[in-house]
Amino acid sequence: MPPPSPRAAATRLLDQILGEHRQMADLLATGALDRLEAPDRARAQRLATQTLRGMERADRVLARHLRKPPPLPVMNILRLGTVELCMGGDAHGVVNDCVGLVAGDKRFVRLKGLVNAVLRKVAADGPAEWAKLRVPHLPKWLRAPLSEAYGAKVVAGFEAAHFAGAPLDLTPKDDAGTLAEAVGGIVLPTGSVRVHNAGQISALPGYDTGDWWVQDTAAAIPARALNAAKGEAVLDMCAAPGGKTLQLAAMGATVTALDISDARMARVRENLKRTGLEASLVTGDALTHKGSYDAILLDAPCSATGTIRRHPDLPHARDGSEIGDLIALQAAMLDRAIHLLKPGGRLAYCTCSLLPDEGECQVDAALLRHPGLAVDRDALSLPGIEPAWITEEGGLRLRPDYWANIGGMDGFYIAVLKT
């Protein structure tokens, strides 16, 4: 059987994300696009993410032409086609392909005429209507607590950053300037290299030789704040997919990379091999891990609400019901990490979350539980870090609306603690 077209693969991703509340990262990890060649995989993923980002607008455009929504798989084909058409896609190719997707499914072949008629109308008047619609909003389960924490105006900035999407950020193994020149990117104030319209990642210069790895600029800051010295024993406590492990290894530290998932640890192993860096890999539970370390980096499991600009599936795959359990897990991991530190050791705690309960509040609570613990504010005196980003308790709050003019950054919270 031949592989599906990129549009067919993209609509199948949408069906699983919106119908089964699966996350795209999990779908890709389990082989959802493995039958496609690399360029088609990249295109399918791009089509799916563009559709998710623009889904609110697409539904508003489609509502003018539908008496009632069709079955979800057909609705997702209409959504994908509408987003493409409203963003300048070739009308003939988009409409014909979308009609073909419906015609090829015996469950919905009767609706091919509807899809043809609706998308032809969208091709005619959709782009003008699209431009007048508001920036898509976050779902209520997330918008409400973020508005309470930051205010409506700031949250609107988050939503604008999510809708704009994210460029590609790379962490260089060596010199950032040389890498930026090779890949046609820019060096960001924090030292990452940013590439707009990067295309197929594995085709970029330096990929095969391991000169860099993909890592949002915000995600690269915790390891820089920890500032591991050569030969120090360092634990990357929740290591997969390995970007921070690679940073720590490149600093010359003796790194132990720990993760509970064997499948996710395979990504760390692949990245180490590609970059020629070394670390000891341990698959196991962080809450029962034993050892003694000079420094620990804990990127704790969290709601990942800071990564929506890169992962627009998250608001659709989750409903916030898991956050209470995550907060409890983060506290337990913080306590375990402190126990594993040598006297005088330091801990970088971080989450890719915008929710203060997973960041600032966790550090406040940890300081109360551990009287000998202190926040190292000086550790955050790094290139590119604005003083206004430092929080009351001494952590660093990064937001997607920061650097909006050059593509933003992920939402992150980072604090360095010392015993």
Side-chain angles (χ1 to χ4, degrees):
M1 180 182 296
S5 70
R7 284 194 182 98
T11 56
R12 177 58 181 152
L13 288 175
L14 294 172
D15 293 346
Q16 293 174 287
I17 292 165
L18 299 173
E20 302 171 21
H21 305 292
R22 307 271 307 273
Q23 289 184 224
M24 189 180 296
D26 295 336
L27 294 170
L28 298 178
T30 54
L33 300 180
D34 282 1
R35 293 177 58 207
L36 279 64
E37 296 294 328
D40 285 344
R41 283 201 303 272
R43 187 178 178 215
Q45 189 172 347
R46 184 172 65 253
L47 288 170
T49 54
Q50 285 176 344
T51 302
L52 290 166
R53 286 193 185 105
M55 195 169 79
E56 180 189 301
R57 283 190 177 186
D59 286 355
R60 288 173 180 259
V61 170
L62 288 166
R64 295 183 56 190
H65 308 297
L66 293 169
R67 293 181 180 177
K68 62 178 182 178
L72 183 63
V74 177
M75 188 64 180
N76 286 335
I77 291 170
L78 287 170
R79 286 166 167 161
L80 183 144
T82 296
V83 170
E84 281 201 88
L85 291 168
C86 291
M87 295 180 68
D90 172 63
H92 179 77
V94 172
V95 174
N96 283 357
D97 203 9
C98 288
V99 171
L101 291 177
V102 178
D105 190 327
K106 62 183 180 181
R107 298 173 298 169
F108 308 120
V109 64
R110 70 187 187 282
L111 297 175
K112 67 177 184 179
L114 171 72
V115 170
N116 181 62
V118 167
L119 289 183
R120 289 190 182 280
K121 291 176 183 176
V122 170
D125 59 26
E129 184 181 357
W130 178 274
K132 299 174 185 177
L133 293 171
R134 74 181 188 188
V135 170
H137 280 194
L138 289 164
K140 289 181 180 179
W141 71 261
L142 181 54
R143 199 170 203 268
L146 290 181
S147 296
E148 183 178 352
Y150 299 98
K153 184 175 180 180
V154 171
V155 172
F158 294 173
E159 290 166 335
H162 297 160
F163 187 51
L168 180 71
D169 289 350
L170 309 176
T171 298
K173 189 165 68 173
D174 296 310
D175 180 63
T178 301
L179 175 59
E181 185 176 353
V183 299
I186 61 169
V187 180
L188 295 173
T190 51
S192 298
V193 172
R194 174 158 291 178
V195 187
H196 292 272
N197 304 313
Q200 184 182 331
I201 292 172
S202 59
L204 289 174
Y207 177 85
D208 291 332
T209 51
D211 296 342
W212 50 264
W213 50 92
V214 175
Q215 188 177 34
D216 187 83
T217 188
I221 292 172
R224 292 176 180 146
L226 191 62
N227 193 27
K230 187 173 182 179
E232 275 194 313
V234 180
L235 174 65
D236 188 357
M237 201 164 178
C238 297
K244 298 174 184 66
T245 294
L246 298 176
Q247 285 181 280
L248 296 168
M251 293 174 184
T254 301
V255 183
T256 298
L258 172 68
D259 201 274
I260 198 168
S261 168
D262 202 35
R264 283 167 54 83
M265 191 61 87
R267 288 276 307 279
V268 183
R269 190 173 292 108
E270 290 169 5
N271 284 325
L272 285 166
K273 182 179 179 180
R274 183 175 65 82
T275 57
L277 295 168
E278 295 183 357
S280 297
L281 306 188
V282 178
T283 301
D285 188 342
L287 296 178
T288 59
H289 183 71
K290 296 180 180 179
S292 182
Y293 299 93
D294 299 304
I296 295 175
L297 197 159
L298 171 56
D299 186 355
C302 71
S303 64
T305 47
T307 70
I308 292 172
R309 59 197 272 276
R310 289 186 293 111
H311 300 295
D313 54 303
L314 287 175
H316 305 286
R318 296 180 175 177
D319 60 8
S321 59
E322 79 287 357
I323 291 175
D325 290 340
L326 286 169
I327 290 170
L329 177 60
Q330 292 153 11
M333 285 189 165
L334 259 170
D335 290 345
R336 186 61 185 168
I338 292 165
H339 176 77
L340 295 172
L341 280 176
K342 295 177 182 179
R346 61 202 189 281
L347 163 67
Y349 169 78
C350 60
T351 57
C352 54
S353 170
L354 288 168
L355 297 169
D357 284 346
E358 298 185 277
E360 293 90 334
C361 297
Q362 283 286 13
V363 168
D364 279 337
L367 293 171
L368 290 174
R369 290 196 306 273
H370 301 275
L373 198 65
V375 177
D376 185 358
R377 292 173 176 266
D378 292 339
L380 300 175
S381 298
L382 298 167
I385 301 302
E386 299 287 340
W389 300 352
I390 306 299
T391 56
E392 184 178 349
E393 79 293 339
L396 175 64
R397 168 53 67 189
L398 302 176
R399 304 185 338 207
D401 58 327
Y402 291 162
W403 293 354
N405 60 320
I406 56 171
M409 64 174 72
D410 279 356
F412 241 85
Y413 176 80
I414 304 156
V416 178
L417 307 172
K418 55 186 179 182
T419 56

